[in-house]
Amino acid sequence: MSSRRRPARALQVTCPCGLPEPYERCCGRYHSGAAAAPTAEALMRSRYAAFVRGDEPYLLRTWHPRTRPARLGLDPGTRWTGLEVLGTTDGSAFHATGTVTFRASFRGGALHERSRFERVDGAWVYVDGDFPD
C-alpha cells in the first residue's frame, strides 16, 4: 500500500446567483472586471451575488449614472439565502433595455422586485425597480 496522497483539489464554491457554476466562472468574472454581463438577467444575477458578497464597488459600478446613489451602506448582518428569477422582458444582446422580475430571499423575509436595465456605452446597467407585491 502506497503512502502517497492525492493532491488536494481546490474547493469550488457554487455561485450565489443560483446558477450551477463555480463563482469564479459565473459572476466572479463580472465582479473582477474580466468580462461584462451579456444580458440584463446576467447583470441582475451578478448584482445579487454582489449583495451576497458585500461588493459595494461592483454594485455602484453597474448602476446607471442617472439613478446611482453616492454610496449604499450595505448591512453586513443581512444573510441572503436565495434568488428566484420570475420573468424577463427583452434584455438580450439585441435590446437596449430590459426588465427582470425576481424574488431575493434573506433570513427573515424576501424582496420581490421588477428591475429595469439599460445599456450605457454597450454595457448593461441597473436603472431602478418597483415592487409588484
Side-chain angles (χ1 to χ4, degrees), residues 8-9 13 15 26-27 29 33 43-44 51 56 58 67 70 72-73 76 82 84 87 99 105-106 113 119-120 132:
R9 293 172 66 188
V13 178
C15 192
C26 195
C27 295
R29 61 196 170 126
L43 180 66
M44 188 281 307
F51 274 104
E56 185 171 341
Y58 179 78
T67 57
L72 294 179
E84 180 183 7
T99 64
S105 300
F106 56 90
E113 182 175 327
R119 284 185 184 269
V120 172

Side-chain angles (χ1 to χ4, degrees), residues 24-38 42-43 46 58 61-62:
E24 292 76 20
R25 287 201 316 248
C26 195
C27 295
R29 61 196 170 126
Y30 307 139
H31 293 173
S32 71
L43 180 66
S46 72
Y58 179 78
R61 188 170 67 246
T62 58

